[in-house]
Amino acid sequence: MADVTGTPETSASGLLADLADVGRDRSRGGYSRHVFDTAEIDLREWFADQARRRGLDVEHDRNGNLWAWWGAPGPDAVVTGSHLDSVPGGGAFDGPLGVVSALSAVDILRERGAAPAKPLAVVVFGEEEGGRFGVPCLGSRLLTGSLPAEKALRLRDPEGITFADAARRGGLDPERIGADPELVGRIGRFVELHVEQGRGLIDLGGPVAVGSTVIAHGRWRLTFAGQGNHAGATPMDDRRDPMLPAAETVAAVRRIASSVPGTRATVGRITPNPGGTNVIASTVDVWLDARGPDTASVVADVEAAARAAAEAEGCTVDLREESWSDEVVFDAALRDAVSAELGGVPALPTGAGHDAAVLAAHAPAAMLYVRNPTGVSHAPEEYAEDSDVDAGAEALATVLARLSEGADWGAGR
């Protein structure tokens, strides 16, 4: 990590550059930063240091989310922020851009001589990507109570470590993890800035947009079970190989999803057990990510295809839902007011989930997107120009200034 002694960097692009060496993934490319691993803890410490240098009071809540307060914590607070974790081999912008832009916005407001009339907080949510424990937006879901603590504590990472154990090692008390209605009740408005995950802004001539909707999405695990055996000693006709129906299901996912307009479905992870090159697997886990207006029927069709393929090979399959999020329509009044304040920037839908979508059920929430000229996200090619990054921070500061001055935007007002 870059040296952060002395005067803190104030531009969002400069702050982002400060994180360039943290959590690099030498095998996948990009970055792998997962909740409570070394890289993510380093980023948490960096954030806390940067926040304190700005005179913000830093605390972590019972679920491991970090809060940096400008002014005494209290009701009707204006809150902004994002996350610092990544998908395996992810890009440099997804998550950290929203955090560094929030810190930069604090600097911009101070440079403008602003003194917020309402409490203002920058928040870092934990495990937004679900890259370690499989459930996205884990920190915000626990905070709001949309994910029961007992379910979260039992989650296991690929090494078999439970979330309870990882949280304990991260300094949390597992007995206290769970919904925090008092803290949620402090949030008057929430605004999250994020790199655009798509190509919507490329042809629109501006660096910033507001969010309109987040499509419904979920994750499922299919476990195919057969008979583990020797790769050389087992004749082809005597096999019950779960890898075959797993492979047929992967192809079926693409075929089924392509037939339903507006649907996106992906298999991005497959784990055979025991995983030896010269071993017929005994089980194969396949993770399905499905998003769109008719996800239930798509998943049902995938399950039917999986069962048919498993039966043909003499195997079984079990389907389990790991997470689900309904479609979210962001508060229209807040969205329109933010767009107008920024000169009429466009509103864009997204197929990506965000902590703002979780919080939208509890307080008026809005998203700002910063142009990504590659259109690529969740991969090393994810990108934003420095000038666009800094324009995003300026836009965020403008919105936070109006909200912290008392602008009554949101909740249909």
Side-chain angles (χ1 to χ4, degrees):
M1 182 182 298
D3 183 7
V4 292
T5 59
T7 303
E9 172 65 62
T10 61
S11 72
S13 57
L15 287 166
L16 194 64
D18 199 36
L19 309 181
D21 293 327
V22 184
R24 283 193 179 274
D25 193 317
R26 304 300 178 186
S27 59
R28 298 183 180 97
Y31 296 88
S32 291
R33 303 156 166 168
H34 307 308
V35 68
F36 300 135
D37 71 7
T38 299
E40 202 252 7
I41 289 173
D42 284 347
L43 292 179
R44 286 171 175 264
E45 292 174 351
W46 175 89
F47 170 79
D49 178 75
Q50 291 288 325
R52 291 187 183 107
R53 292 181 187 204
R54 289 163 171 78
L56 307 182
D57 295 324
V58 180
E59 62 183 18
H60 67 76
D61 64 26
R62 66 183 64 176
N63 298 298
N65 306 309
L66 280 172
W67 298 76
W69 290 91
W70 183 358
D76 203 24
V78 178
V79 182
T80 187
S82 192
H83 60 98
L84 291 169
D85 65 302
S86 75
V87 298
F93 296 82
D94 183 355
L97 180 61
V99 174
V100 301
S101 296
L103 291 172
S104 181
V106 168
D107 296 331
I108 293 167
L109 291 178
R110 286 220 169 97
E111 290 167 3
R112 294 177 183 176
K118 296 181 178 183
L120 192 152
V122 178
V123 62
V124 175
F125 288 109
E127 184 73 339
E128 192 272 351
E129 298 290 6
R132 181 173 182 184
F133 291 99
V135 176
C137 299
L138 187 60
S140 56
R141 287 176 189 261
L142 285 169
L143 172 70
T144 59
S146 61
L147 177 68
E150 56 271 21
K151 179 178 178 180
L153 293 170
R154 293 194 301 267
L155 295 171
R156 292 183 180 272
D157 71 6
E159 304 302 318
I161 298 170
T162 65
F163 178 67
D165 286 340
R168 189 179 293 108
R169 294 172 191 173
L172 302 182
D173 179 358
E175 297 296 322
R176 297 189 67 246
I177 285 175
D180 192 341
E182 180 181 355
L183 182 51
V184 174
R186 291 177 178 173
I187 304 172
R189 302 290 186 274
F190 181 75
V191 182
E192 180 175 2
L193 180 144
H194 206 279
V195 68
E196 184 190 7
Q197 296 174 288
R199 302 178 58 84
L201 269 169
I202 292 175
D203 298 322
L204 295 180
V208 177
V210 297
S212 57
T213 59
V214 174
I215 66 175
H217 57 281
R219 298 182 186 185
W220 292 261
R221 182 192 298 196
L222 296 101
T223 299
F224 295 87
Q227 176 60 62
N229 215 328
H230 194 291
T234 311
M236 300 305 288
D237 291 341
D238 290 344
R239 301 183 178 208
R240 292 191 294 119
D241 184 352
M243 189 63 79
L244 269 69
E248 291 183 32
T249 300
V250 173
V253 166
R254 179 68 173 267
R255 183 178 67 252
I256 292 166
S258 297
S259 70
V260 182
T263 295
R264 296 91 185 263
T266 307
V267 173
R269 180 181 169 197
I270 300 175
T271 302
N273 178 48
T277 304
N278 59 344
V279 179
I280 299 168
S282 56
T283 63
V284 178
D285 285 323
V286 174
W287 280 265
L288 169 67
D289 179 302
R291 310 175 188 229
D294 195 15
T295 305
S297 67
V298 169
V299 173
D301 288 347
V302 169
E303 182 179 14
R307 293 198 183 284
E311 182 178 353
E313 182 63 16
C315 296
T316 62
V317 62
D318 176 63
L319 175 74
R320 285 167 287 171
E321 180 184 298
E322 294 200 334
S323 69
W324 172 253
S325 299
D326 288 321
E327 180 188 41
V328 172
V329 178
F330 288 113
D331 186 286
L334 178 57
R335 177 201 67 213
D336 292 346
V338 169
S339 173
E341 186 69 17
L342 299 178
V345 298
L348 298 177
T350 184
H354 298 288
D355 292 305
V358 175
L359 294 177
H362 304 271
M367 294 281 309
L368 293 178
Y369 297 126
V370 171
R371 179 168 50 196
N372 175 355
T374 69
V376 174
S377 188
H378 283 189
E381 294 80 9
E382 179 181 270
Y383 186 65
E385 298 282 354
D386 284 354
S387 57
D388 286 356
V389 167
D390 294 333
E394 288 279 352
L396 179 61
T398 296
V399 172
L400 296 179
R402 291 285 283 120
L403 289 173
S404 63
E405 290 166 358
D408 197 19
W409 298 343
R413 296 190 181 98

